Every structure is written in C-alpha cells, then in structure tokens.
Amino acid sequence: MAQFINNKETTVIEAIDGLLQSSGGDLARLDGYPHIRVVLRADWDKSKVALVSGGGSGHEPAHAGFVGEGMLTAAVCGDVFASPSVDAVLAGILSVTGPAGCLLIVKNYTGDRLNFGLAAERARAFGLKVNMVIVDDDIALPDLPQPRGVAGTLFVHKIAGAMAESGASLDDITTVAERVIKGTKSIGMSLDTCTVPGSPKEQRIGAGKAELGLGIHGEAGVLQVDYHNAEQAMAAVTAKLAAVMDPVPHVVLLNNLGGASELEMSILANDLVKSSIGKNLKLIVGPAAMMTSLDMRGFSVSVFPLKAEDHAWLSAPCAPSAWPGCKAIKPVRTVELPDGLRPIQPIPSQHKATADFLTRCCQILIAAEADLNALDAKSGDGDTGSTLAGAARALIGALDRLPLADHTQLFRAIGQELTQTMGGSSGVLLAIFFTAAGDAASSGLSMVAALKEGLDRMQRIGGAQLGDRTMVDALKPALDELDASDLAKAATAARKGADHTATITRAKAGRASYINADQLQGHVDPGAEAVARLFEQLAS
C-alpha cells in the first residue's frame, strides 16, 4: 500500500521535525538526535512536577502531540511500535525534572515497562524524585495477567497534566493517576489492520468481518465478528464495557484508531450515546484521533467513572491542540424552520393502481442501487444508485400522505418530497421536473404532455441537452415515444439513448463533465441507465 513517506528508516525523525516546525515554537527536541528523540516544552522551567510519557511511534498525535502546557512536559519517541531506549528515556527525565520531581506515565507493554523502569532507577541514582505509573486499561482479554495500555492513557495525561500545572505535588498527582488508571476501561474494534511503513500489510481481517479487542500495535483481537453496520459494531464494543462498568456517571473517550473518516466517527458517536451504556455517559472526549495505530480503520472507547474534581481537571484549558476538549453530552436541539420554508402538506387521497405503480417504480430503482453506484464510480463519485434508492425508499414511506387520486397534485407532491429527501443536482432537477409537470397538468395538458413540459423546464434550468451525457439522453426519447402511449417503444428509445452515452467522451453537463474523456469511454451514464432500466422493467 502506498504511503506518504520517504523511507522507513527516517520516518519517525522526519515526522518529529515536521511536528516541531509547525508548532509555532512551543516545542523543542533534545540534542543527541536522532538516537535520542525527546520532544519537550520549549518554555519549561522545572518549577513544577514534570510529566514524561512516550513509547513507540505510530500512535500520533500520541505522544508528542500532547506535549504542552497543561499536559505532558516531554515525550520520548521510539521507532514505529518499538519502545525507546533506556538512554532516551533517561535523557528525557534529566532534561525536565527539577526539585518537584517527575511522573512517568507508561503503557503496559514489556518494552516500555523495562526501559522506562530502568531509566527511572538510574534517574533516582542521580538524586531525582521519579515516580512511575503503568496504564493497563484494555479489557479485550479479561484473563490476561498484564492488560495492555491503550487510549485510556489520555485520561491520565490530561488529569495529571492539569494537576501538575496547578502546582500539585508529585505524590498527590501519582495517587490520582493510579486511581484514574484503576477505574479506566477501554476496548477497540477495527475493520482492517494497519500498514507499518516498509512492511507488507497483514490481511488478517476478511471481508464482512470486524475484529474486536485488537491492540494498538496491530495485535490480533479477542475475536472476529460479522460486521453489519456502525450501530452493531458499537453495540459489540459497549456490551464488553457494560460488563465492567458500575451504574454511575462516566466520562467517555471516543478514539479514532487512524483510518476512520470524520463522518464515520460522528455516526459512531451517535451510536455510542444511544448504546446500552449511554445512560451513564455524562461527558465525552472526541470523537477524534488521539491514540492511533497508524492507518487502522477502527475506533476505541474508553470509560472512566467521574468525580467532581476529575471533571474540573478534564475541562481545564491546555495548550496541545491534539486534545479535543471534554464536553457534556446533551440531547439534540432543534430550531424551527424560518417562515415560508415549512412545506405545505398536500391532502392525501387513496388510489390503489397509482400506489402500486409508484411502488413498482421505486422498487426498480432500489434494486438497481449497487449497479448504478458501480457505474457512477467510473464517471462520478459512486453515489447515483444510493441517491435514487434513498429517494425511492422515502417516497414509498410517504405514500399514505400523497394525493394519489389527483395526478396534478401528485406531481407537485412528489417534487416537494424530492426537495426534502434527495440530495445532489439530480435531486433538485427531478424536483423541478415533477413540480413543473404538476403545473402543466393543472392547465389541462395530458399526463405525457405535462411530463414533457417538466422535462423542458428541467433542461432550461439545468442546461442539459441531448448528447450532453445525462439522464436527458434516455428520458427525452422515451417521453417522445410515450406520445403514442407505447411503453415498449419508449423503453427501446430509452435504452438506445442510454447506450449511446457510452460513446460520448465529452460530457457537457453533470459531474461527468469534470472527468477525463478516457475515463468515460465505454461507460453508460448512470442517470441515463436508471431511466432506461425503469422504462424497460415497466414495459416487461
């Protein structure tokens, strides 16, 4: 898999330098580079307790991204997924520790425990006060004697960081950090493994599967489950958490493991609040990428029982922009539509034949969803099928409130429904088409003549003409044949028009007009294909 790196040997060094050069001067690094890779606060004066964390790289923004006022004092960075050396950790401790002492925040991995632990011993031999806490929040493997440290580490970073900034003592910070660690529980899920720079990608998770409880270094999870949707995935994660949570208010951290989009993470946030543990969640951190696993397409959830003082520490201001803030979970608020935008509801009426016909049309479009998406992916953004199918499903759901016995009003009602349920340019164009057809029908024109008036209005506003490689290339010849009330001839004309779009390499309207001619050659326009399929199946 291609990655934006130069070579694997310099990946971490170049990433750290990129972070430093874009930090506005707030961060610095120790000399001894590149063997000693320590990122630290440029303004640090050793007057307060220092917080040092770190470990293998590949979890960005952790750990260097959380260095700054109110959080970490320094981060010690190892190679990708590899613990830093004892000398690197010791250099970090010595560079930031003053009379107030230093707290090491370490995730529970053998290499980190050993290297940070030995460095602490050596620092104490220098006469420094150094404490160490081990984060072991992962609940994926309940019988594991040494649970892994994962994204719950961020709770410790933030609470300990706020306490240190306030001037709290090393012993007090250590006591609270240990309490936070004891109460924090985390588990993750992913649809794919991560890609380690310079290494072949492990294809462990099959299509249609998700892995529950995998580690942040790509370690295999506790089990693979069938994946259906975000809601089911979140339910599987929260079921594990529910088993170890007390029925008290909690703060939750929703972490992007690196490869999920912002859109997906917001959906997961909604599913999290609605989940079996939702009633006990009062504050949320994220959703955001905080403790990642390179490009892993997954998420993790961490929970921690909330005390009043913890709320204050979690909400205290801090400098690192990687910390997304801690906010109260609130119900969705709605604001009334402005005057004039609330749709006028038509008077519903029943007409079985019309209802059956509309339902069949909608079912044809729904059945074609995947094929139309695949066709659109060759010349657009791959959503034509979903857009049409979504509108079709909405129209089926609206049948009982449509004026089915009055075709004039029905056309207008369909147009209004499409303005609310169908996005993109096709949605507004079809809304114009049906609304204009309704206006034409109200003046006494026949149904076919009214539909042709609707097409004319749609062309005038949208600008598409025959030969421009749009749905017009199938719809116009089909409506021309309908003048003779011959549905079979209309279907033949629609198919001919749709197939002709595959020979048009220069689109003049629609999204395909932005696409290189080589990509269009031989591919039927998806809008025209939808029209052709509709007429063909209605005629069959």
Side-chain angles (χ1 to χ4, degrees), residues 7 92 95 268 278 301 373 440 448:
N7 64 72
S95 66
L268 288 165
V301 179
N373 279 343
V448 174

Side-chain angles (χ1 to χ4, degrees), residues 201-232:
K201 183 179 176 66
E202 182 184 5
Q203 305 294 340
R204 185 178 68 239
I205 306 173
K209 295 288 187 178
E211 195 163 79
L212 179 64
L214 71 177
I216 57 172
H217 305 105
E219 309 98 316
V222 63
L223 77 161
Q224 289 193 12
V225 298
D226 291 334
Y227 174 75
H228 301 291
N229 55 36
E231 183 179 19
Q232 168 256 342

Side-chain angles (χ1 to χ4, degrees), residues 11-338:
T11 295
V12 174
I13 300 168
E14 293 173 357
I16 291 174
D17 282 348
L19 171 69
L20 295 173
Q21 291 177 90
S22 57
S23 70
D26 294 336
L27 304 178
R29 60 170 163 82
L30 286 184
D31 203 355
Y33 216 55
H35 304 294
I36 292 176
R37 292 170 293 204
V38 177
V39 176
L40 67 161
R41 288 174 57 174
D43 63 344
W44 186 244
D45 61 6
K46 299 187 179 181
S47 62
K48 299 172 182 176
V49 172
L51 300 183
V52 177
S53 189
S57 297
H59 305 301
E60 288 71 20
H63 301 84
F66 294 106
V67 173
E69 184 178 354
M71 290 192 77
L72 298 180
T73 315
V76 190
C77 307
D79 289 328
V80 172
F81 295 168
S83 175
S85 68
V86 174
D87 282 355
V89 178
L90 180 60
I93 297 171
L94 296 178
S95 66
V96 297
T97 304
C102 174
L103 176 65
L104 302 183
I105 302 170
V106 183
K107 298 188 302 303
N108 194 24
Y109 295 95
T110 302
D112 289 346
R113 288 199 318 272
L114 292 175
N115 286 293
F116 277 81
L118 181 53
E121 291 297 329
R122 290 175 60 182
R124 293 183 190 114
F126 280 92
L128 298 178
K129 293 193 298 183
V130 180
N131 289 350
M132 186 169 82
V133 294
I134 307 293
V135 185
D136 56 356
D137 54 311
D138 189 11
I139 63 164
L141 302 166
D143 299 324
L144 198 66
Q146 293 285 348
R148 300 171 294 204
V150 287
T153 309
L154 276 300
F155 285 142
V156 186
H157 287 175
K158 181 64 181 71
I159 291 174
M163 291 184 69
E165 197 63 43
S166 74
S169 70
L170 176 60
D171 287 343
D172 287 346
I173 296 171
T174 304
T175 298
V176 171
E178 289 172 341
R179 174 176 61 79
V180 173
I181 292 167
K182 184 177 180 180
T184 300
K185 310 296 180 187
S186 302
I187 189 167
M189 173 179 277
S190 185
L191 299 174
D192 199 2
T193 54
C194 59
T195 308
V196 178
S199 300
K201 183 179 176 66
E202 182 184 5
Q203 305 294 340
R204 185 178 68 239
I205 306 173
K209 295 288 187 178
E211 195 163 79
L212 179 64
L214 71 177
I216 57 172
H217 305 105
E219 309 98 316
V222 63
L223 77 161
Q224 289 193 12
V225 298
D226 291 334
Y227 174 75
H228 301 291
N229 55 36
E231 183 179 19
Q232 168 256 342
M234 182 58 75
V237 166
T238 52
K240 295 290 186 181
L241 291 169
V244 296
M245 289 173 63
D246 293 326
V248 297
H250 282 68
V251 58
V252 62
L253 185 146
L254 179 54
N255 175 55
N256 185 344
L257 285 168
S261 67
E262 293 290 325
L263 182 71
E264 291 169 288
M265 293 306 299
S266 292
I267 292 170
L268 288 165
N270 182 54
D271 291 330
L272 173 61
V273 174
K274 295 191 300 182
S275 72
S276 60
I277 66 172
K279 62 182 179 298
N280 292 324
L281 304 180
K282 305 305 176 187
L283 301 175
I284 186 167
V285 179
M290 292 172 274
M291 182 75 72
T292 65
S293 181
L294 294 169
D295 60 347
M296 186 178 286
R297 192 143 183 253
F299 68 97
S300 66
V301 179
S302 304
V303 293
F304 168 60
L306 192 62
K307 290 181 177 290
E309 59 266 33
D310 298 326
H311 185 178
W313 300 130
L314 288 167
S315 302
C318 64
S321 59
W323 176 256
C326 182
K327 299 178 177 63
I329 297 173
K330 298 288 186 180
V332 174
R333 293 177 58 189
T334 58
V335 178
E336 290 290 328
L337 281 173

Side-chain angles (χ1 to χ4, degrees), residues 525-537:
D525 176 76
E529 177 65 21
V531 172
R533 289 199 186 193
L534 185 62
F535 275 93
E536 285 174 336
Q537 293 191 42

Side-chain angles (χ1 to χ4, degrees), residues 9 28 167 188 220 250 284 323 340-341 404 470:
E9 288 77 17
H250 282 68
I284 186 167
W323 176 256
L341 286 184
L404 298 175
T470 69

